[in-house]
Amino acid sequence: SAVISQKPSRDICQRGTSLTIQCQVDSQVTMMFWYRQQPGQSLTLIATANQGSEATYESGFVIDKFPISRPNLTFSTLTVSNMSPEDSSIYLCSVSPGTVIHEQYFGPGTRLTVT
Amino acid sequence: DQQVKQNSPSLSVQEGRISILNCDYTNSMFDYFLWYKKYPAEGPTFLISISSIKDKNEDGRFTVFLNKSAKHLSLHIVPSQPGDSAVYFCAASRTGTASKLTFGTGTRLQVTL
């Protein structure tokens, strides 16, 4: 499986500010995804990061709030914009190497607290 | 609309015994199911998966059973070990949806000595 790193691992931010989370994979992967896990909740897919084109967002998530970049096959960023306390969550990136398309491997996550 | 449900938020099992974690789904279009384990402050780790064309898949101490008619799957861990203590998520996906996973709410497993 791919080795995935995320930066930062955690952060405490003030409301109204933005935070960019980086996700780096040690090999080229076809699919990259961003998830959110709110306290005590399940993992919810935010968007699929597409290389060279705009991300595909799930219902309830919009590009203005969660802009995503994917400049190449090993790297992606997620920005959480104009943050409010409701954005306090763990944000996780995952990859699907493509050999068994349904399986995804996750990074360690970024724990975000908005005050 | 919670399409994948894990109705037991927690489970406690003695070391050496069998742990059985359950998962139900409502969307009959799901055709691939996965189990993940998550330790605190780490991302979920893939454990085992099963395609809807099978009813059982085994990998070492872990076995997943799928009952399509009941829209139910279960993960059996035998024998349970203290290192298995974690939160377990089941997830489901549908062929043709670009690997999108829908996760359950998780079950916290505590394996006691």
Side-chain angles (χ1 to χ4, degrees):
Chain A
S1 62
V3 176
I4 305 160
S5 60
Q6 284 185 235
K7 288 183 193 179
S9 58
R10 59 176 58 225
D11 208 341
I12 301 173
C13 301
Q14 289 194 332
R15 69 172 68 209
T17 63
S18 298
L19 176 72
T20 295
I21 302 167
Q22 298 179 5
C23 178
Q24 179 76 52
V25 190
D26 69 341
S27 58
Q28 293 186 342
V29 292
T30 309
M31 312 286 288
M32 292 182 79
F33 305 88
W34 287 98
Y35 286 82
R36 177 175 76 179
Q37 186 185 16
Q38 293 178 300
Q41 303 293 315
S42 183
L43 284 78
T44 302
L45 180 64
I46 297 171
T48 303
N50 302 308
Q51 194 262 330
S53 65
E54 199 170 280
T56 306
Y57 289 84
E58 296 301 303
S59 175
F61 298 96
V62 295
I63 188 171
D64 290 347
K65 176 67 176 177
F66 297 102
I68 287 171
S69 79
R70 186 160 178 208
N72 56 52
L73 293 174
T74 64
F75 185 79
S76 178
T77 67
L78 168 76
T79 299
V80 186
S81 304
N82 188 24
M83 288 184 282
S84 67
E86 292 71 36
D87 294 318
S88 297
S89 294
I90 300 173
Y91 291 86
L92 299 128
C93 72
S94 73
V95 304
S96 179
T99 49
V100 181
I101 195 164
H102 295 274
E103 292 174 12
Q104 294 181 24
Y105 300 94
F106 285 81
T110 296
R111 182 179 292 272
L112 170 62
T113 302
V114 183
T115 60
Chain B
D1 174 30
Q2 189 69 34
Q3 296 187 67
V4 180
K5 300 177 186 178
Q6 294 174 256
N7 291 319
S8 298
S10 63
L11 175 67
S12 182
V13 172
Q14 272 193 325
E15 182 181 11
R17 303 276 190 147
I18 185 170
S19 296
I20 301 176
L21 297 100
N22 294 303
C23 179
D24 297 292
Y25 61 96
T26 57
N27 188 340
S28 57
M29 300 298 290
F30 288 141
D31 58 4
Y32 201 86
F33 304 90
L34 308 91
W35 283 94
Y36 285 84
K37 177 170 74 173
K38 187 179 186 299
Y39 293 120
E42 295 184 14
T45 303
F46 170 73
L47 268 179
I48 192 169
S49 61
I50 189 167
S51 163
S52 61
I53 63 173
K54 295 184 176 182
D55 55 19
K56 176 183 174 181
N57 189 27
E58 194 171 349
D59 183 1
R61 296 186 298 115
F62 302 93
T63 302
V64 56
F65 295 92
L66 175 62
N67 182 334
K68 286 192 297 291
S69 61
K71 295 192 182 68
H72 177 83
L73 62 153
S74 60
L75 174 68
H76 292 209
I77 306 173
V78 56
S80 301
Q81 300 173 354
D84 295 329
S85 298
V87 178
Y88 289 77
F89 290 96
C90 68
S93 72
R94 201 178 118 188
T95 300
T97 59
S99 301
K100 284 165 47 173
L101 295 181
T102 301
F103 280 84
T105 48
T107 297
R108 182 178 300 277
L109 173 65
Q110 180 75 37
V111 179
T112 58
L113 297 172

